[in-house]
Amino acid sequence: MADDSGFYSIRFGADPVQLAFFRAGLDRWLQALEWPEAERVDAILAVSEACTNAVKHAYAGGVPGDVEVVGRLVAGPAHRQVVVTVRDEGVWRPDHGEKGYGMSVMRGCMERVSIRRDDSGTTVTMVSVPVPLLGAPDGSGLAAAE
């Protein structure tokens, strides 16, 4: 579900075909928030990479599972950011000499990226770079809600 409320949530089967639908929904949510284009593209790329990793690596041997994406808008006095969490319920499998660029992409596109692995799965939490508030008095974006 995507809207301009500041929240985004979707749960989809860990199937590569589902990734395109997820990306379109995330894009609509960020557009509804009037997210600047360059930062919107970066956020979509980073979250998509985390989801792709979950689809490809979380559920070994074709065991079905889901990927959950939850996003929220956080506004401060001078800027706003989105915090997006990607979670799977799969089992972490160490790489077998395959070194991809996923973490580099996520870290290059977002301000902060953290990963937590435990018996219930893997959670990737990403915080976007700060963007201006909408309607700020200096014309740089949006003002904080009063």
Side-chain angles (χ1 to χ4, degrees), residues 55-79:
V55 167
K56 289 174 65 175
H57 302 294
Y59 302 102
V63 174
D66 291 335
V67 177
E68 179 181 45
V69 181
V70 176
R72 64 185 167 89
L73 176 65
V74 177
H79 65 271

Side-chain angles (χ1 to χ4, degrees), residues 27 30-31 33-45 80 109 129 131-132:
D27 188 34
L30 292 169
Q31 285 185 29
L33 295 175
E34 297 182 39
W35 216 251
E37 184 176 2
E39 290 81 359
R40 180 174 50 84
V41 170
D42 279 352
I44 292 167
L45 181 59
R80 57 197 174 118
C109 292
V129 297
V131 301

Side-chain angles (χ1 to χ4, degrees), residues 1-24:
M1 178 181 91
D3 60 27
D4 62 355
S5 70
F7 293 96
Y8 173 82
S9 178
I10 187 170
R11 186 176 187 97
F12 60 92
D15 177 343
V17 173
Q18 297 297 319
L19 291 170
F21 298 113
F22 138 75
R23 280 190 288 266

